[in-house]
Amino acid sequence: MIKQGHTLRATSRTDYSQLCHQMGIQFFRDVAEFLEADNHVILICTSILSLSKVLTSMPLTPLKTPTLFVDVLSVKEHPRDLLLRVLPEESDILCTHPMFGPDSGKDGWKDLTFVYDKVRIRDEAICSNFLQIFASEGCRMLQMSCEEHDKLAAKSQFITHTIGRTLAELDIKSTPIDTKGFQTLVQLKETTTRDSFDLYSGLFIHNRFAVQELENLERALQRVKEMLAQRMNEELGTENT
């Protein structure tokens, strides 16, 4: 964002003033002073579980002009509903999910997916300028409703994390006879467990479609077990006759 020429300001519970100074970012220890700084866009970067607490603790009265609020959570209906409830009516709302992180985006954002939903946009110019930050870096820009995002994320991202966490509980490790497929599973375990359990539990608690997908996964495992048991009975029965 800085390389593209944008002016950045930041605030956090943690004191990042030294790091921000090195990067050319103005850092505010006081949230109210940050909100008074006449920002065109406020990008909210919290965990899923802490969003409600952070939003309700923000003193929004110092906002001088209508502002575009953007979230980057991995669930979308939850932040949409919170932002609509908490923010002033004159504030614009853009819900986004950059579908990449420190691992997948470490070498650039080209061809990585950026999902967004224009929940409440009056100033199209500011919204377009913000989205252009990611489009200009080569992201695959995908406009999608928050509901559709959560349906798909429950079937993909949540299932991926669930399988990774399950493999971690199995404590799988590389062996001298690893197949390529098994190496992929070990990598999945390592990748998903690098994310916090707060993130994983947030994907479950605040995505209303995740419960159904977890039940579907349990039923699928049960069906596989039943197929194996049936085949074993058939084979052993054949041998005994």
Side-chain angles (χ1 to χ4, degrees):
M1 292 180 183
I2 295 171
K3 288 179 180 177
Q4 290 182 14
H6 297 283
T7 299
L8 267 63
R9 305 183 182 98
T11 186
S12 176
R13 292 176 303 170
T14 305
D15 185 2
Y16 289 113
S17 53
Q18 185 173 356
L19 176 62
C20 285
H21 178 73
Q22 295 170 356
M23 297 179 66
I25 300 172
Q26 186 179 4
F27 184 78
F28 292 81
R29 291 304 309 273
D30 184 83
V31 177
E33 291 182 4
F34 168 79
L35 293 172
E36 291 173 353
D38 197 22
N39 303 289
H40 292 127
V41 181
I42 293 181
L43 184 61
I44 303 169
C45 305
T46 71
S47 69
I48 298 171
L49 298 181
S50 66
L51 177 64
S52 179
K53 183 178 179 181
V54 171
L55 273 179
T56 53
S57 69
M58 292 174 66
L60 297 172
T61 49
L63 289 172
K64 294 179 180 178
T65 58
T67 306
L68 171 62
F69 281 80
V70 183
D71 89 281
V72 292
L73 268 59
S74 299
V75 295
K76 293 274 59 79
E77 287 190 318
H78 171 58
R80 177 200 64 192
D81 295 346
L82 267 175
L83 291 166
L84 285 170
R85 186 169 70 247
V86 173
L87 294 181
E89 173 63 28
E90 60 270 18
S91 297
D92 282 2
I93 299 171
L94 179 69
C95 286
T96 78
H97 184 190
M99 303 294 295
F100 48 91
D103 289 322
S104 54
K106 65 185 178 187
D107 297 320
W109 299 347
K110 182 174 172 53
D111 296 328
L112 298 178
T113 303
F114 186 94
V115 179
Y116 66 94
D117 185 10
K118 296 180 178 181
V119 175
R120 186 171 68 201
I121 300 297
R122 298 182 184 88
D123 194 326
E124 286 285 352
I126 288 180
C127 179
S128 177
N129 287 340
F130 176 81
L131 292 173
Q132 186 59 29
I133 293 171
F134 299 89
S136 64
E137 295 295 327
C139 286
R140 187 172 73 93
M141 307 299 288
L142 183 59
Q143 187 168 4
M144 177 183 295
S145 72
C146 293
E147 179 182 10
E148 183 64 18
H149 169 277
D150 283 3
K151 284 181 182 178
L152 296 178
K155 293 178 180 292
S156 56
Q157 187 182 24
F158 174 70
I159 289 296
T160 300
H161 278 261
T162 299
I163 297 297
R165 292 280 170 179
T166 304
L167 294 173
E169 290 299 316
L170 286 171
D171 196 26
I172 67 167
K173 294 181 174 68
S174 294
T175 74
I177 58 170
D178 284 0
T179 62
K180 290 294 185 182
F182 186 73
Q183 289 174 359
T184 300
L185 292 180
V186 172
Q187 182 61 45
L188 173 62
K189 179 203 74 170
E190 293 174 349
T191 300
T192 53
T193 53
R194 274 199 292 270
D195 289 322
S196 68
F197 192 77
D198 271 3
L199 170 62
Y200 175 55
S201 58
L203 293 173
F204 178 72
I205 295 167
H206 290 296
N207 185 338
R208 61 191 173 99
F209 303 102
V211 174
Q212 184 62 56
E213 292 307 320
L214 188 58
E215 292 175 357
N216 291 345
L217 181 62
E218 291 173 333
R219 284 196 293 268
L221 180 58
Q222 183 60 35
R223 287 196 297 270
V224 171
K225 289 169 64 179
E226 291 170 356
M227 287 189 289
L228 286 173
Q230 180 181 347
R231 178 56 63 87
M232 182 173 67
N233 289 336
E234 292 171 355
E235 291 298 320
L236 292 181
T238 302
E239 291 177 5
N240 292 333
T241 58

